[in-house]
């Protein structure tokens, strides 16, 4: 770590759980973030600010004016641009030392596994169950930690999968054929709610990367924004899970 990095990340280095060794782990890490919407926006910004060495950001959608209410990595002038490249530019403005690879197409199963294999941890910031299930399957297959978040209306949730820990995966929560027709477009979402969940995803990723994964493994955090309450639920591993059993 050079003097410039020591100065930039000084407030983190002072933490006993981080120190120079922990900060070096972050600088040496690669994080794959799938989805540059309401969850991926704060997650990417905080991870870049914290000193993650490389971010791989994946999103094939374009920025729309209705995104700007909550997708804080994009700007008004970015409307019509691909989200992956809009995000890359904003991250570069925040921390030019963070390497960013932008993926602007929908990954097929082989490509998904390829990029997950390159990452030290994956953040699922998508908004539909088929994609979440596909990401979870690939992370289990590649033995890559996964932090999955979701938010709608005035509520959100977050859970992490840690490979080879005996803990549950995302599929342990839901049946393989589970589907939901609820979307933010139909149901609405309060903008700070996705900010809270996305920021928590970044936090959990950092904890895993510095070796504090026992604090998040097998836990489902549920956020009730209206009542400002958190619930923590321990998820049992499903012995009949089609993915991780």
């Amino acid at each position: 770590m050079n003097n410039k990095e020591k100065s930039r990340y000084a407030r983190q280095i002072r933490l006993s759980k981080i120190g120079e060794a922990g900060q070096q782990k972050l600088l040496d890490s690669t994080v794959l973030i799938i989805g540059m919407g309401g969850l991926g926006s704060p997650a990417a910004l905080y991870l870049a600010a914290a000193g993650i060495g490389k971010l791989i950001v994946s999103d094939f959608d374009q920025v729309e004016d209705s995104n700007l209410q909550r997708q804080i990595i994009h700007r008004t002038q970015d409307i019509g641009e691909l989200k992956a490249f809009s995000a890359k530019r904003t991250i570069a403005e925040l921390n030019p030392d963070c390497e960013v690879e932008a993926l602007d197409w929908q990954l097929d199963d082989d490509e998904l596994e390829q990029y997950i294999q390159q990452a030290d941890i994956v953040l699922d910031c998508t908004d539909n169950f088929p994609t979440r299930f596909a990401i979870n399957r690939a992370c289990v297959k590649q033995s890559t930690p996964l932090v999955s978040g979701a938010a709608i209306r005035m509520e959100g949730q977050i859970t992490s999968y840690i490979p080879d820990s005996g803990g549950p995966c995302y599929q342990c929560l839901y049946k393989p054929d589970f589907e939901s027709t609820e979307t933010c477009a139909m149901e609405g979402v309060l903008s700070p709610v996705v900010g809270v969940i996305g920021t928590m995803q970044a936090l959990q990723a950092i904890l895993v990367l510095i070796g504090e994964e026992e604090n998040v493994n097998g836990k489902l955090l549920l956020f009730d924004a209206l009542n400002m309450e958190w619930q923590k639920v321990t998820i049992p591993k499903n012995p009949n899970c089609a993915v991780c059993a």
Side-chain angles (χ1 to χ4, degrees), residues 2-150:
N2 59 42
N3 289 334
K4 178 185 174 184
E5 291 167 336
K6 289 180 181 178
S7 175
R8 186 177 188 115
Y9 308 115
R11 301 301 187 275
Q12 284 180 177
I13 293 171
R14 288 175 184 166
L15 298 171
S16 61
K17 288 291 186 180
I18 305 289
E20 289 194 14
Q23 187 63 53
Q24 190 62 56
K25 288 180 181 179
L26 300 182
L27 291 167
D28 293 338
S29 295
T30 297
V31 178
L32 169 61
I33 306 176
I34 304 176
M36 279 291 106
L39 300 174
S41 290
L45 291 173
Y46 269 110
L47 288 173
I52 295 300
K54 180 177 180 178
L55 293 177
I56 306 173
V57 298
S58 173
D59 200 308
F60 56 90
D61 284 339
Q62 293 179 327
V63 179
E64 300 177 359
D65 60 350
S66 62
N67 300 149
L68 302 179
Q69 165 255 1
R70 64 200 178 280
Q71 300 180 16
I72 61 172
I73 206 166
H74 310 298
R75 306 290 183 261
T76 300
Q77 61 266 28
D78 298 327
I79 292 173
E81 186 173 358
L82 288 162
K83 289 182 180 180
F85 290 101
S86 170
K88 180 177 181 177
R89 182 172 57 251
T90 304
I91 293 168
E93 292 172 353
L94 175 64
N95 187 352
D97 294 328
C98 178
E99 180 185 353
V100 181
E101 181 176 358
L103 311 179
D104 64 342
W105 69 93
Q106 186 170 10
L107 303 178
D108 61 28
D109 288 345
D110 289 340
E111 290 173 322
L112 184 60
E113 288 190 20
Q114 172 191 336
Y115 282 103
I116 285 175
Q117 193 174 34
Q118 295 178 30
D120 296 293
I121 192 166
V122 176
L123 271 62
D124 177 2
C125 300
T126 61
D127 61 359
N128 65 88
F129 281 96
T131 303
R132 291 174 188 164
F133 291 154
I135 294 170
N136 179 71
R137 286 194 302 271
C139 283
V140 172
K141 185 174 180 180
Q142 297 297 327
S143 294
T144 303
L146 168 67
V147 183
S148 181

Side-chain angles (χ1 to χ4, degrees), residues 127-128 151-153 180-189:
D127 61 359
N128 65 88
I152 196 169
R153 295 182 293 268
S180 175
T181 58
E182 294 182 330
T183 65
C184 289
M186 295 176 60
E187 301 291 330
V189 64

